[in-house]
Amino acid sequence: MGKNLLDIQNIKVGIESKIVLDGLDLQINEGETHVLMGPNGAGKSTLGNVIMGNPVYTLEGGKIFFDGQDITELDTDKRAKAGLFMSFQNPLEVPGISLETFIRSALQQKTGERVKLFAFQKELKAAMELLNMDSSYASRDLNVGFSGGERKKSEILQLLMLKPKLAILDETDSGLDVDAVRTVSKGIEEYQKSQNGALLIITHSTKILESLNVDKTHILAKGKIAKTGGPELVQEINEKGFDKYLAE
């Protein structure tokens, strides 16, 4: 088992005066893959945003530690520099900045060092080939005119290039066809292998999990982790749903 990477202690989170998470605990170690499932409105995406420090959400209690550092009050950019990454259900369009420029700028911000252009472009090309992305997308404005599948590939490309210690993937497989899910899964596998990277995968579907080694599965209901188990818990949810946890 690797050392503890993320330690969430008894957090209470509100948005627009409504408590969404109430007394939630979660621990993730280096190299582990955790799956977070739960009914609509349970607060799964809220948890991801709170870990990243999204100011829309109010942390009303508890602590968040990352890689031994208390990040409870840390700004989002500093959390990213520390090694946190989050992909979104609906990645935003960013006109005026190319995908390549965005990744290169983010990498420089993270490392504090100037990126060596030749080596960067070589690595970018290899990562795009792994994801079956046309090389022309590197020079296109970030996500502008991208299909849903290409937007998701774009985010996995960022994951591969930025090499975070922990990646939070929020509904990465949402709206993808079978082939796109397979390609995205291949990129996630590469991240796991090359970085020994930890993952928190937030999902309703299990398609993206089929080729991944899952260490723990968590069910989020009523603002807390209602149950934690292994990959077998995914199958239980597929067969029986979440009603059991909503009734408890």
Side-chain angles (χ1 to χ4, degrees), residues 21-86:
L21 303 176
D22 192 3
L24 185 143
D25 298 291
L26 180 66
Q27 289 76 41
I28 299 177
N29 294 326
E30 284 183 335
E32 289 184 344
T33 295
H34 289 229
V35 174
L36 183 67
M37 304 182 76
N40 289 332
K44 302 183 298 297
S45 294
T46 295
L47 178 58
N49 278 285
V50 167
I51 295 170
M52 285 303 304
N54 187 330
V56 170
Y57 301 87
T58 304
L59 189 61
E60 300 186 4
K63 292 282 188 180
I64 302 175
F65 294 88
F66 180 69
D67 202 16
Q69 178 186 7
D70 185 348
I71 64 168
T72 309
E73 303 295 334
L74 215 59
D75 291 340
T76 299
D77 63 328
K78 291 184 174 62
R79 298 187 193 207
K81 288 179 182 178
L84 279 167
F85 173 95
M86 184 173 177

Side-chain angles (χ1 to χ4, degrees), residues 161-196:
M161 295 298 294
L162 294 174
K163 304 176 177 64
K165 297 174 184 175
L166 170 65
I168 304 163
L169 307 182
D170 188 4
E171 302 287 356
T172 299
D173 53 351
S174 176
L176 300 184
D177 62 27
V178 173
D179 290 335
V181 168
R182 190 177 295 117
T183 300
V184 166
S185 295
K186 187 177 179 181
I188 297 170
E189 281 185 275
E190 180 64 25
Y191 163 72
Q192 286 181 309
K193 288 189 301 183
S194 62
Q195 297 302 312
N196 191 33

Side-chain angles (χ1 to χ4, degrees), residues 138-159:
S139 59
R140 290 177 57 176
D141 286 0
L142 179 62
N143 294 327
V144 176
F146 286 24
S147 68
E150 294 299 341
R151 290 188 185 206
K152 298 299 177 72
K153 288 182 183 180
S154 166
E155 295 222 298
I156 300 303
L157 178 66
Q158 294 166 44
L159 169 68

Side-chain angles (χ1 to χ4, degrees), residues 1 17 41 60 74 84 93-94 101 105 149 161 164 171 173 202 243:
M1 183 190 302
S17 74
E60 300 186 4
L74 215 59
L84 279 167
E93 295 185 357
V94 185
T101 300
S105 175
M161 295 298 294
E171 302 287 356
D173 53 351
I202 301 169
D243 289 348

